[in-house]
Amino acid sequence: MGAGLAGLSVAVHLACRRVDQRVVLLDARERYDGDRTWCQLAVRPHPFEACVTKRWSQIEVHAPQEVGGACARRRLDVRRTPYVHLDAERVYARARDELARAGMTLELGVHVEAVRPRRDHVVVQTSKGVLRARAVLDSRPRPSNQAAGDTPSAGTSPALAQHFRGFFVRSEAPLFDPDVATLMDFRVDQRVALAAGGLRFVYVLPFDAHHALVEDTYFTPEVFPLGDEALAPFAAQARLTVEREERGVIPMTTARPDDEPRHRRIGLAGGVAKPSTGYAFDFIQRHAEVIADAVARGRPIPSYQRMSWLDEVFLGVLRARPEAAPMLFGRLFARAPAGSLVRFLTETATPLDAARVMAALPPPPFLAESARAVARRLRLPA
Ligand SMILES: Cc1cc2nc3c(=O)[nH]c(=O)nc-3n(C[C@H](O)[C@H](O)[C@H](O)COP(=O)(O)OP(=O)(O)OC[C@H]3O[C@@H](n4cnc5c(N)ncnc54)[C@H](O)[C@@H]3O)c2cc1C
């Protein structure tokens, strides 16, 4: 249910394993287009490698080392795990080819309206009729991952929404360094974000010297409309044309969805996005792989498993001390060893990496939040 990235990825992984089951994908959308950009640090192979259209060997942040301090640039060489861009149209086309080859059914323009689990099957009510399935994977977005029925990882887990408005711009003069992706630039007005209890930064993805995606990004408890102020510093240097836009909201939470093996939530709805950063592409692939393995072996379909403790602490600090957030990211990039940082971001961290990441961060807020996370797990009063 939902044939976006997560639904299609599971189908592709099932197709790769030649699973002998009838697979039907339902999606409310009428068509596929280049509706989003997917970027990630490339740490693992996946079935969409051929859809990578650009690789950056360097990433950078502009962030302070102290609360309220001046922003400094920190650049990391990620040649061994480059930051890559995948073209959505290619991802969708590749998935649809694979589905067709495997004889799977993809029905577009079908709204799933209700899901009713029975003892040994699931009844799915759609805008075009009723289906019965042995199991369903549900990626329909939900109003909030903290909605009633969700089980926080323990107690009340901290949650933020990452919401953004991105502009694909063309500059008449050469303006961008095509070798460096700017993941976070905190040299922007934080007042609106702070008043909303969160933080703000600009993300810049240069495709070449004249073209880039400039994305105004907020991590706040609530979502609100965004303007185009993020373009001002670029427009001050060169004549810009906005060719198109993208927008999105990604839940940042460690809450677990209310699901079970026969009705498993996947993708953003399944809480697969990394709680402290909102990245999801790679984790969706990993979950898809695990699900396909389980189906191929006739085992119950598992939820996505992550070591969420460090994310929970990080998210808790962002939520409790948003004014300190730019400094936290600044220190993370400046002080954590590059390898440990990349492994933390890509969920391949060892306990030693986790310790090194923690050591890069200022102790007081992190120790306090760690204590709160432990209290939540033990269900003690905070
Ligand atoms: C603009 C944008 C940019 C992003 N960039 C990155 C990035 O660079 N890196 C990264 O790691 N992550 C990124 N993400 C986050 C994440 O990877 C994507 O949101 C990804 O598409 C999530 O996959 P999904 O399957 O959970 O959701 P989707 O891909 O959104 O799929 C959900 C599907 O459910 C369908 N649907 C909804 N309601 C119903 C219904 N009632 N019945 C049937 N179908 C329904 C929708 O039509 C949709 O196709 C981005 C997200 C957005 C929005």
Side-chain angles (χ1 to χ4, degrees):
M1 301 186 304
L5 182 64
L8 291 173
S9 298
V10 173
V12 168
H13 280 272
L14 286 171
C16 293
R17 283 164 186 71
R18 301 185 203 291
V19 170
D20 184 23
Q21 307 245 5
R22 180 149 184 243
V23 178
V24 179
L25 290 97
L26 307 175
D27 201 294
R29 70 170 81 202
E30 298 287 345
R31 64 192 168 86
Y32 288 97
D33 52 27
D35 60 352
R36 59 202 60 189
T37 45
W38 278 301
C39 286
Q40 61 159 349
L41 286 161
V43 283
R44 266 180 298 268
H46 56 74
F48 300 104
E49 302 282 352
C51 310
V52 170
T53 50
K54 171 122 181 105
R55 289 180 169 76
W56 291 268
S57 53
Q58 299 182 77
I59 53 174
E60 69 178 22
V61 299
H62 292 263
Q65 292 291 303
E66 302 299 334
V67 177
C71 285
R73 188 180 76 187
R74 167 79 174 148
R75 201 171 267 189
L76 293 187
D77 187 325
V78 289
R79 221 166 309 176
R80 287 166 62 189
T81 52
Y83 194 66
V84 299
H85 168 257
L86 293 104
D87 180 85
E89 277 181 277
R90 289 194 194 194
V91 168
Y92 295 138
R94 154 101 176 92
R96 293 184 72 174
D97 282 353
E98 210 51 59
L99 262 58
R101 244 197 302 278
M104 296 176 180
T105 308
L106 170 64
E107 300 268 3
L108 298 183
V110 180
H111 288 254
V112 173
E113 290 161 355
V115 180
R116 293 188 204 92
R118 300 282 186 255
R119 205 156 49 87
D120 59 352
H121 67 280
V122 182
V123 177
V124 180
Q125 174 77 48
T126 80
S127 55
K128 301 232 169 115
V130 175
L131 276 93
R132 281 156 56 102
R134 228 180 278 168
V136 295
L137 298 169
D138 191 351
S139 64
R140 289 171 302 153
R142 292 176 311 141
S144 153
N145 267 35
Q146 294 254 275
D150 277 1
T151 314
S153 54
T156 304
S157 120
L160 289 171
Q162 174 176 153
H163 57 118
F164 49 89
R165 180 173 179 191
F167 303 89
F168 291 86
V169 296
R170 179 167 50 80
S171 152
E172 260 177 31
L175 187 60
F176 306 105
D177 180 346
D179 296 327
V180 187
T182 303
L183 301 197
M184 294 178 143
D185 187 340
F186 287 101
R187 294 173 299 173
V188 283
D189 192 341
Q190 294 289 339
R191 280 174 299 185
V192 172
L194 277 173
L199 61 124
R200 174 188 179 213
F201 59 87
V202 172
Y203 172 77
V204 184
L205 209 58
F207 298 105
D208 58 42
H210 294 267
H211 295 88
L213 168 64
V214 176
E215 207 144 77
D216 202 359
T217 309
Y218 284 73
F219 293 178
T220 48
E222 306 292 336
V223 174
F224 45 83
L226 303 182
D228 60 2
E229 316 79 67
L231 294 180
F234 301 93
Q237 297 175 63
R239 209 178 161 83
L240 289 189
T241 309
V242 175
E243 296 186 321
R244 63 191 172 92
E245 289 190 23
E246 72 167 25
R247 291 167 202 246
V249 180
I250 301 174
M252 300 170 70
T253 175
T254 52
R256 282 201 295 265
D258 58 333
D259 62 355
E260 35 115 6
R262 222 173 258 290
H263 176 197
R264 185 61 76 205
R265 295 197 193 264
I266 57 172
L268 297 189
V272 173
K274 188 167 178 63
S276 55
T277 64
Y279 280 84
F281 186 92
D282 185 46
F283 313 122
I284 286 175
Q285 299 313 313
R286 266 208 259 179
H287 195 202
E289 205 174 327
V290 171
I291 290 173
D293 277 343
V295 173
R297 289 163 198 229
R299 300 219 174 115
I301 296 172
S303 54
Y304 182 70
Q305 300 295 323
R306 68 158 42 92
M307 194 186 77
S308 61
W309 180 79
L310 193 48
D311 278 297
E312 190 172 329
V313 171
F314 208 87
L315 199 53
V317 176
L318 297 185
R319 184 83 208 251
R321 303 248 350 248
E323 76 290 352
M327 172 274 285
L328 296 177
F329 283 106
R331 290 210 186 172
L332 195 59
F333 275 79
R335 300 187 184 183
S340 297
L341 177 60
V342 166
R343 287 189 288 276
F344 165 65
L345 295 175
T346 55
E347 301 203 337
T348 50
T350 61
L352 182 61
D353 290 323
R356 285 176 169 156
V357 166
M358 282 295 279
L361 299 163
F366 275 85
L367 289 179
E369 193 49 44
S370 303
R372 274 195 284 274
V374 171
R376 277 194 293 272
R377 273 160 200 257
L378 299 176
R379 298 186 184 282
L380 301 171

